[in-house]
Amino acid sequence: MKHVVILGGSDGTVSAFRAARRLGLSTICVDMRADAPGVAESDEFVHVSTRDVPAIAAALRERHRPAGLLAPGSDINLPSLAELANLLGLPCALTEETLRVSTDKAAFRETCLRLGLPGPRYSTDPEVRPALPVIVKPVDSGSSRGITIVREQEDLAPAVEHARAVSPTGRIIIEQLLTGQDLCGEAMLQDGRIALLGLSRRVTEPPEVVAVGHDMEPGDGVLDKEVTRQLELVCAEVGYRDGPLNVDLFVEDGVVTLIEMGARIGGNGLGEALGLMYGVDTVEATVRLAIGERPDLTPTRRGPASVRVLRAPFEGVLLGIDGLESLPDTAEIVVVASPGDHVFPYTECRAKLGYVVDHTPPDLDALVKVDVR
């Protein structure tokens, strides 16, 4: 049996473990957390940090030679994936420049600027910044951690320190706060061309930084073509030709502005939603790419798809989640929290309890009760 190594066990990896199982592959989860959601989905577990490449390589040499590597749901494990693939002689589509734009928000901005693509005014120096309002972010952290919208001067310094605190390198980026339609994009790239693209509207609640859901619908043609054009330009510039893409963007008065991009399956169910929209299992396709196969990305349908996040109403101990059985049979349900877990309000992506993907938005508020003490 072939084995696939999945770096990380966060909720964003669960769909990849399940897809590998459907393909008859054995999985090995690597994570420093023994209680990570992906551990329960895997066949074997390597209990080390995903950033400790020598330790991972040593552990794998004592097991089976893997057929492929994956790092879905988050950009932070992509450098380890590339280094491990090189050490073990495994397939990897990530070039050095692809890694840079996926893991460094300032590098992505520089690439877009070099290509002449629209972009917000930005700075990596708090003393030289765009006029307020701005958004302050770590350049190299994911899951919406460390992000603050700043509208008043006195709030800037605390926002910078907050971003620095969650950045592995202590670096931040300050961007002009854009207005317009805030969208997420999920795509599959094949031979340097966008084969599948799904744009989704963020469903947000105050403070409107973290999406509580996504609604993905077939595009109007013009918008899809422009997003495709820009993504293909960036991918050609960085040498990325085959694989998944996750992107954030704004659209205002017909102008498309790419905000950031990751060469991996999106978290929060976006990878599954793209597949549902086109009738193509895009997560399985990504697993096939990881083991050196060429997937069939021919659409078999074209329709809407939605994601809704399961959330705790307040901080406390999770007693249970009731009502999931009442959701439609078509819904894909991922639950990553268990009774007894200490849970937090959903102010960043890693605080989610799970998510539900279906053709239409599931009414979680009416059907599902999250009981927290």
Side-chain angles (χ1 to χ4, degrees), residues 56-113:
I56 298 170
L60 293 178
R61 290 189 184 106
E62 295 174 357
R63 287 172 164 79
H64 328 275
R65 174 176 169 77
L69 300 163
L70 278 171
S74 173
D75 300 318
I76 62 173
N77 294 324
L78 295 180
S80 293
L81 183 147
E83 188 176 347
L84 272 172
N86 183 58
L87 279 174
L88 301 175
L90 295 173
C92 181
L94 302 176
T95 66
E96 184 176 340
E97 282 303 303
T98 303
L99 281 175
R100 284 189 71 240
V101 299
S102 294
T103 58
D104 188 317
K105 295 174 176 63
F108 182 71
R109 288 267 55 86
E110 291 164 7
T111 300
C112 291
L113 186 63

Side-chain angles (χ1 to χ4, degrees), residues 3-17:
H3 306 273
V4 174
V5 176
I6 298 180
L7 299 178
S10 69
D11 58 272
T13 69
V14 169
S15 63
F17 283 104

Side-chain angles (χ1 to χ4, degrees), residues 75-366:
D75 300 318
I76 62 173
N77 294 324
L78 295 180
S80 293
L81 183 147
E83 188 176 347
L84 272 172
N86 183 58
L87 279 174
L88 301 175
L90 295 173
C92 181
L94 302 176
T95 66
E96 184 176 340
E97 282 303 303
T98 303
L99 281 175
R100 284 189 71 240
V101 299
S102 294
T103 58
D104 188 317
K105 295 174 176 63
F108 182 71
R109 288 267 55 86
E110 291 164 7
T111 300
C112 291
L113 186 63
R114 187 166 64 248
L115 291 169
L117 299 179
R121 294 185 297 277
Y122 73 96
S123 173
T124 55
D125 181 352
E127 301 302 319
V128 182
R129 56 171 172 75
L132 298 177
V134 296
I135 184 165
V136 181
K137 302 181 281 190
V139 299
D140 51 3
S141 183
S143 301
S144 300
R145 286 177 290 174
I147 296 177
T148 308
I149 293 174
V150 176
R151 302 183 187 277
E152 304 295 336
Q153 177 63 38
E154 60 267 25
D155 297 328
L156 181 62
V160 168
E161 290 310 305
H162 177 51
R164 279 182 174 151
V166 300
S167 165
T169 60
R171 297 164 55 227
I172 58 97
I173 184 168
I174 304 172
E175 295 177 349
Q176 167 196 4
L177 184 64
L178 297 182
T179 58
Q181 194 174 17
D182 181 8
L183 300 177
C184 287
E186 193 76 13
M188 289 297 294
L189 188 73
Q190 192 165 67
D191 299 327
R193 301 294 181 186
I194 299 296
L196 303 173
L197 174 67
L199 300 179
S200 62
R201 179 181 59 83
R202 294 175 186 267
V203 180
T204 61
E205 295 178 356
E208 300 184 357
V209 172
V210 185
V212 300
H214 296 270
D215 291 331
M216 189 179 288
E217 296 182 359
D220 62 7
V222 175
L223 176 58
D224 280 20
K225 285 180 180 178
E226 176 59 14
V227 174
T228 294
R229 182 188 75 85
Q230 293 195 25
L231 286 177
E232 289 181 351
L233 279 174
V234 173
C235 289
E237 179 75 4
V238 301
Y240 187 50
R241 292 186 53 79
D242 292 279
L245 282 172
N246 180 258
V247 63
D248 292 339
L249 61 141
F250 273 85
V251 181
E252 185 173 28
D253 296 331
V255 176
V256 173
T257 302
L258 303 181
I259 301 301
E260 54 190 72
M261 183 190 87
R264 44 82 177 176
I265 301 170
N268 282 359
L270 284 172
E272 297 98 301
L274 177 68
L276 188 62
M277 191 167 92
Y278 285 103
V280 177
D281 194 324
T282 48
V283 182
E284 276 193 14
T286 303
V287 176
R288 289 187 183 278
L289 280 169
I291 61 174
E293 295 182 3
R294 180 181 174 86
D296 182 358
L297 298 178
T298 306
T300 61
R301 71 180 298 272
R302 186 173 171 83
S306 293
V307 182
R308 290 296 183 272
V309 174
L310 293 166
R311 298 166 287 150
F314 49 83
E315 183 179 352
V317 176
L318 179 65
L319 299 181
I321 303 175
D322 299 318
L324 293 175
E325 68 283 352
S326 65
L327 294 174
D329 292 339
T330 54
E332 180 172 356
I333 303 168
V334 173
V335 177
V336 297
S338 302
D341 286 354
H342 195 89
V343 295
F344 299 88
Y346 188 65
T347 57
E348 56 183 55
C349 291
R350 62 179 176 174
K352 75 171 71 63
L353 308 182
Y355 56 85
V356 179
V357 184
D358 204 353
H359 295 285
T360 56
D363 189 357
L364 296 186
D365 290 339

